[in-house]
Amino acid sequence: MNAILYKTKLISLIALVLLVTACASTQKLSDADRAKYKSAKINDTVVKGPVFLLAPSGANIGLMFGAIGGAATAGAAEDSQKAFTAFLEKNSLSIEKIVREETTNVLRESGKLAIAGPNDNSVPTINISVPQYGFGVTHLLSSNVVPVLQIKCEMLDSTGKVLWSESERMLPTIGSPMEAVAWDQIGNNPKRIEEEWRKASRYLAKKIVDQL
């Protein structure tokens, strides 16, 4: 009962976050700047926020991700996130690397901007951040999960002025654009985790670049 109440409150909080972030400010690239800049470089450093994990009720996160002793227990959200984070680090799974690679590929394929070298100081810099990432069930009784991801891109000129800013996210809802996957196919399967995050990253990157 406590687990159900916790998840009910958590999903309500997710809905509130979605409502707030839906109004997040963006900045369109002006016609003058679009004509002026034909290329940009992408910052090697991607800043990430906290991991999000909302597993099915009764899932033993500690057992699934190899936590030892009391490092993680079912029903302890913070411990579950710690166990999941440790699993990602152990398997060299970097959401920063995944998002940067997929966003760079989408931008290159779009033809909207050429990708300049990291030492070219004559072009704007695109900073990428990942405020949130992870997985979550689509509803309280589900045993399937979808990626949780937010990507933000900002393009700055050499003086630090923001020329363009756009952000997109996906949350664990029934209306997620990603196909739900059984939790037991994700847990302890680093290749599948990377595959799902890459698909989600590419989907959001396309939406972001479409606004450039």
Side-chain angles (χ1 to χ4, degrees):
M1 178 63 70
N2 288 338
I4 293 177
L5 288 174
Y6 168 76
K7 287 195 173 183
T8 301
K9 291 179 180 178
L10 188 56
I11 289 177
S12 297
L13 178 60
I14 291 170
L16 177 61
V17 170
L18 177 60
L19 177 62
V20 172
T21 55
C23 301
S25 61
T26 60
Q27 182 167 329
K28 302 298 182 183
L29 186 66
S30 69
D31 291 339
D33 287 333
R34 181 173 286 104
K36 180 179 180 181
Y37 299 111
K38 300 300 183 183
S39 60
K41 61 183 178 181
I42 298 180
N43 195 333
D44 288 333
T45 301
V46 175
V47 178
K48 71 175 179 180
V51 69
F52 176 94
L53 186 63
L54 184 59
S57 297
N60 192 323
I61 307 301
L63 178 62
M64 180 166 285
F65 294 121
I68 299 174
T73 59
E78 295 83 0
D79 289 343
S80 296
Q81 290 169 355
K82 288 178 182 178
F84 185 48
T85 299
F87 174 80
L88 297 177
E89 292 174 350
K90 178 182 177 181
N91 290 277
S92 301
L93 273 173
S94 168
I95 190 65
E96 305 98 297
K97 179 176 182 290
I98 291 171
V99 170
R100 187 183 187 281
E101 288 178 350
E102 295 301 327
T103 302
T104 300
N105 289 339
V106 168
L107 182 59
R108 182 180 289 112
E109 292 165 7
S110 74
K112 292 188 174 184
L113 286 173
I115 307 299
N119 298 320
D120 189 344
N121 296 322
S122 66
V123 300
T125 299
I126 295 178
N127 296 324
I128 303 171
S129 60
V130 185
Q132 192 175 59
Y133 66 104
F135 288 94
V137 292
T138 54
H139 59 83
L140 285 176
L141 302 179
S142 177
S143 60
N144 297 331
V145 296
V146 292
V148 175
L149 186 62
Q150 181 180 7
I151 300 176
K152 181 178 181 180
C153 293
E154 283 189 331
M155 185 163 69
L156 285 68
D157 67 11
S158 58
T159 69
K161 175 186 174 183
V162 178
L163 304 174
W164 168 73
S165 177
E166 192 69 40
S167 177
E168 291 285 348
R169 72 184 301 161
M170 61 176 64
L171 294 174
T173 66
I174 295 176
S176 172
M178 298 292 103
E179 182 179 355
V181 178
W183 172 248
D184 57 11
Q185 294 181 26
I186 291 290
N188 207 27
N189 188 340
K191 289 185 177 180
R192 188 61 186 271
I193 290 174
E194 178 175 355
E195 177 185 336
E196 294 302 318
W197 275 345
R198 284 196 179 276
K199 288 191 292 187
S201 297
R202 187 170 182 83
Y203 178 88
L204 292 183
K206 284 184 176 180
K207 294 190 69 175
I208 290 172
V209 173
D210 281 347
Q211 301 302 315
L212 180 60

